[in-house]
Amino acid sequence: MTTEALRLSLLQGHWFSHLPAALQDALLAATCERSLDAGQRLFRRGDPPCGLYAVLEGAIRIGAVSRTGKEALLTLVEAPQWFGEISLFDGQPRTHDAFAEGPTRLLLVPQAELLTLLEREPAYWREFALLLSQKLRLAFIALEDMSLLPAAPRLARRLLLMAEGYGETGERRNLHLAQEQLALMLALSRQTTNQILKELQARGAVRLNYGEIEIIDLQLLRQAADTDG
């Protein structure tokens, strides 16, 4: 993919599109592409930092597996979202596991080149802090929902966040997400998740397809998120 094609793809995301043009150019000049097969590991918790990634195609599954085999799925990172910024700030090992959900193409800006750029242009730290703060804001929302909301409105709120692209991309109606994955994100059983989704489908808010949840009526979904609790 040419540099301009990469730029056009990444400009679909809120963070990159609001960067100074000089920083966009610097990141594109430093990137290299990586391709992963479905299920292939990108990095594991405890791995040393290697840089900042952007998803071009496919999705990256961010989570962890306990010693007993229990899995926690935090999020699916899709195009054109960026990730990996925590280790840029503290230089510490990766906090979670990252695997390709399906065939996936990524951009990597290596850690050493990022740090060299930021040493030369320290004002750019603010731009990466904005990327980190947006993730932190979403994490606080998820923690609050987990603590205060019953399962049904919590699920509806997560679907709304995904339909709105987590504030990073534009609105979308087709969520490529299996029910099992949604259950893992919300720490719910597969049965509970399926029951809530079927109720939302009966109300006309969503349509359930294989490996996909289609948002039919955003207003109905908002009502489910706001009033079911």
Side-chain angles (χ1 to χ4, degrees), residues 19-105:
L19 295 180
L23 179 52
Q24 291 181 4
D25 292 340
L27 291 176
L28 289 171
T31 58
C32 55
E33 291 192 43
R34 286 198 60 182
S35 295
L36 301 177
D37 296 326
Q40 186 176 348
R41 177 171 66 90
L42 178 62
F43 54 75
R44 195 182 299 278
R45 171 182 281 177
D47 282 355
C50 51
L52 187 67
Y53 289 93
V55 180
L56 295 176
E57 294 177 3
I60 291 292
R61 183 186 184 102
I62 304 291
V65 179
S66 72
R67 293 179 180 177
T68 61
K70 185 176 181 180
E71 182 180 4
L73 176 60
L74 298 183
T75 190
L76 289 174
V77 186
E78 300 178 285
Q81 294 175 315
W82 293 75
F83 66 99
E85 68 280 356
I86 293 176
S87 292
L88 172 64
F89 278 87
D90 61 14
Q92 297 298 305
R94 294 297 189 185
T95 58
H96 292 87
D97 304 324
F99 291 86
E101 179 62 19
T104 300
R105 289 178 56 240

Side-chain angles (χ1 to χ4, degrees), residues 117-194:
L117 170 64
L118 290 165
E119 183 176 355
R120 187 172 68 246
E121 299 285 352
Y124 287 159
W125 274 111
R126 179 182 182 276
E127 308 302 333
F128 294 96
L130 290 173
L131 179 63
L132 180 64
S133 65
Q134 195 243 4
K135 305 282 185 64
L136 186 60
R137 183 182 296 273
L138 291 171
F140 281 149
I141 290 172
L143 285 172
E144 179 182 340
D145 288 351
M146 193 79 72
S147 299
L148 300 179
L149 292 180
R154 179 151 47 99
L155 185 149
R157 287 192 65 173
R158 179 58 66 96
L159 291 181
L160 275 174
L161 281 173
M162 297 183 71
E164 293 165 353
Y166 291 108
E168 172 61 16
T169 59
E171 185 179 295
R172 57 190 181 139
R173 293 302 182 102
N174 294 299
L175 308 180
H176 300 290
L177 179 74
Q179 293 185 31
E180 181 181 358
Q181 293 172 328
L182 183 59
L184 287 172
M185 285 182 183
L186 298 170
L188 298 173
S189 71
R190 174 71 169 75
Q191 293 76 14
T192 298
T193 301
N194 179 257

Side-chain angles (χ1 to χ4, degrees), residues 1-10 24-25 28-29 31 33:
M1 187 179 287
T2 67
T3 299
E4 283 311 305
L6 289 174
R7 187 192 303 273
L8 288 174
S9 176
L10 295 172
Q24 291 181 4
D25 292 340
L28 289 171
T31 58
E33 291 192 43

